[in-house]
Amino acid sequence: MADSIPFIDLQAQRRRLGEPLNAAIKAAVESGQWILGPQVAEFERDIAQWTGVKHAIGCANGTDALLLILRAWDVGPGDAVFVPAFTFAASAEVVALAGASPVFVDVLADSFNMDPASLEAAIALVKKDGKLTPKVVMPVDLFGQPADYRLLQPIIRREGLKLLCDTAQGFGGLLDGKRAGAIGDAAATSFFPAKPLGCYGDGGACFTNDDELKDRLLSLRMHGQGSDRYEHVAIGLNSRLDTIQAAILIEKLKIFEDEIERRNVVARRYTEAFAGSNRIKTPVVIEGAISTWAQYTLQVESRNLFQSKLRLAGIPTMIYYPIPLSRQPAYAHYPSAPTPVSQALSGQVVSLPMHPYLDEASQERVISATLDAVG
Ligand SMILES: Cc1ncc(COP(=O)(O)O)c(C=O)c1O
């Protein structure tokens, strides 16, 4: 068996960040302001400006970022939140945690993102059933690519719903020149280490242009704090971004744009190399979009065999996601539009190594092992 290359190489990034990163961590430790220290506000300003949005509110992780926004909008029992069936569990989990009901929507086979026709079907289903009130649509920018908000937004507006973008995987990507994070009534991201912009532990952020929502989020992340520290005006959470993580993220944001470009170079090379094979379906980036390539995900037949051949060649692969949420034991009882595409994708998707520091020799190894494996 050949030596394995890493699926993601976070140590290569760490070496690049070098001494300034060590100094930033040291300063955060020595300052003694470990919770909501000045680095948190600095990072919130930096990232809001970078994203092109008025407010960024740091919090403990991406799951909380979504939950905080739902809570700030008073989404709760009797409310329907439309969520893609093909995504990570957190997207639906937060809806259930808020006491509302996720309603599953199918995705498009090319982009893996929310299908506008299926969203219409899901809204019609909820209205016909009459038990839930449609409130929020939560598309996910899966694998790094913004959902097609140009097609989703007219439906969302027509129905008088709110748009919450789960951009945990797609933060920093672009749609018609606008950054994911600056799209929608609000957006949420994750700084989990493996995300395109990750920290060295858990972290997350909410984004919005709405001043009132910003104030509610600042309160909710601190136990629903009012004007005084021990006055509580809402039932909130303890969900803050650590000062050390903010210090790390300040340094990482400086190289993020370059890293997105490097990921795009790798993705272009993969897509060109696989273009000649009719046994591999490569991911499609919609017109006007730039992906952050959180994952590079193929669709293949005989996935088990494909994965074992790659493993023998020293190429790790991952399956995101093997079971659609509409079929998961914890979520199968919630309403759902038909999800045939999500079901088909869950049997065929396989992600290849992807990160900004994947050198040409490693790219070649991935490409030739992939082409060999499909014959
Ligand atoms: C689409 C999506 N939403 C939400 C989350 C939750 O983020 P976190 O792990 O920071 O709570 C993730 C993270 O894996 C995700 O991929």
Side-chain angles (χ1 to χ4, degrees):
M1 201 163 116
D3 281 351
S4 191
I5 63 166
F7 189 73
I8 301 181
D9 189 352
L10 292 170
Q11 288 300 344
Q13 183 200 52
R14 162 132 187 71
R15 286 191 292 276
R16 174 180 178 186
L17 289 162
E19 213 27 62
L21 182 77
N22 295 342
I25 294 171
K26 190 159 177 268
V29 172
E30 286 180 355
S31 77
Q33 290 177 269
W34 301 310
I35 299 287
L36 294 183
Q39 289 89 337
V40 174
E42 183 184 339
F43 172 64
E44 288 171 337
R45 276 193 305 275
D46 285 0
I47 198 168
Q49 194 185 26
W50 188 89
T51 309
V53 70
K54 212 164 158 192
H55 308 291
I57 300 95
C59 64
N61 53 65
T63 308
D64 279 4
L66 291 165
L67 180 59
L68 285 164
I69 295 165
L70 293 176
R71 296 290 298 269
W73 284 340
D74 286 323
V75 171
D79 293 337
V81 178
F82 299 88
V83 177
F86 191 62
T87 176
F88 182 58
S91 315
E93 185 180 46
V94 292
V95 179
L97 286 174
S101 173
V103 177
F104 294 111
V105 177
D106 210 4
V107 297
L108 297 163
D110 282 349
S111 66
F112 308 113
N113 279 332
M114 187 179 271
D115 175 358
S118 179
L119 173 63
E120 301 248 32
I123 295 171
L125 185 123
V126 167
K127 284 180 163 175
K128 183 158 172 260
D129 202 36
K131 293 196 196 103
L132 297 168
T133 310
K135 279 283 172 70
V136 176
V137 180
M138 192 202 291
V140 175
D141 300 336
L142 204 73
F143 304 152
Q145 164 164 228
D148 200 340
Y149 297 104
R150 296 165 299 204
L151 301 178
L152 295 169
Q153 253 163 339
I155 303 169
I156 294 167
R157 271 196 215 112
R158 185 193 71 210
E159 298 292 334
L161 308 178
K162 286 207 183 286
L163 171 57
L164 167 53
C165 304
D166 177 349
T167 195
Q169 299 184 18
F171 174 72
L174 288 159
L175 184 64
D176 292 343
K178 207 167 182 189
R179 288 252 181 237
I183 302 172
D185 297 294
T189 197
S190 162
F191 302 126
F192 182 76
K195 294 287 188 266
L197 180 63
C199 56
Y200 287 175
D202 276 310
C206 310
F207 302 92
T208 186
N209 287 315
D210 178 340
D211 298 341
E212 229 173 276
L213 177 60
K214 183 256 307 178
D215 289 340
R216 293 213 69 190
L217 291 169
L218 289 175
S219 162
L220 286 171
R221 78 173 177 183
M222 292 277 282
H223 305 284
Q225 195 176 89
S227 51
D228 177 82
R229 180 161 190 173
Y230 294 108
E231 181 201 26
H232 301 282
V233 294
I235 297 174
L237 280 79
N238 170 9
S239 185
R240 295 161 307 217
L241 181 66
D242 285 348
T243 306
I244 292 180
Q245 301 304 345
I248 291 164
L249 285 162
I250 289 170
E251 295 305 309
K252 285 208 180 190
L253 187 60
K254 294 177 187 164
I255 61 166
F256 188 37
E257 202 150 346
D258 175 64
E259 291 190 332
I260 295 174
E261 179 49 35
R262 286 167 177 243
R263 285 174 183 269
N264 272 279
V265 170
V266 177
R268 272 196 295 276
R269 181 125 185 244
Y270 280 167
T271 299
E272 277 163 23
F274 302 143
S277 169
N278 57 10
R279 298 220 174 97
I280 303 173
K281 185 165 162 27
T282 50
V284 175
V285 177
I286 56 173
E287 166 115 32
I290 301 226
S291 177
T292 58
W293 295 104
Q295 304 298 337
Y296 186 92
T297 302
L298 302 174
Q299 294 169 57
V300 295
E301 309 261 318
S302 316
R303 184 173 62 189
N304 286 345
L305 186 61
F306 178 84
Q307 282 193 288
S308 50
K309 284 182 176 170
L310 261 72
R311 198 175 308 118
L312 279 176
I315 311 297
T317 56
M318 299 289 282
I319 297 173
Y320 306 111
Y321 295 93
I323 308 172
L325 293 187
S326 45
R327 290 273 173 105
Q328 289 281 1
Y331 297 101
H333 62 287
Y334 286 112
S336 177
T339 56
V341 176
S342 300
Q343 278 159 40
L345 286 174
S346 60
Q348 291 183 338
V349 286
V350 57
S351 300
L352 297 180
M354 162 58 76
H355 61 85
Y357 306 98
L358 196 70
D359 61 30
E360 294 208 0
S362 301
Q363 291 171 36
E364 276 313 312
R365 276 184 64 186
V366 175
I367 289 166
S368 64
T370 300
L371 291 171
D372 285 350
V374 294

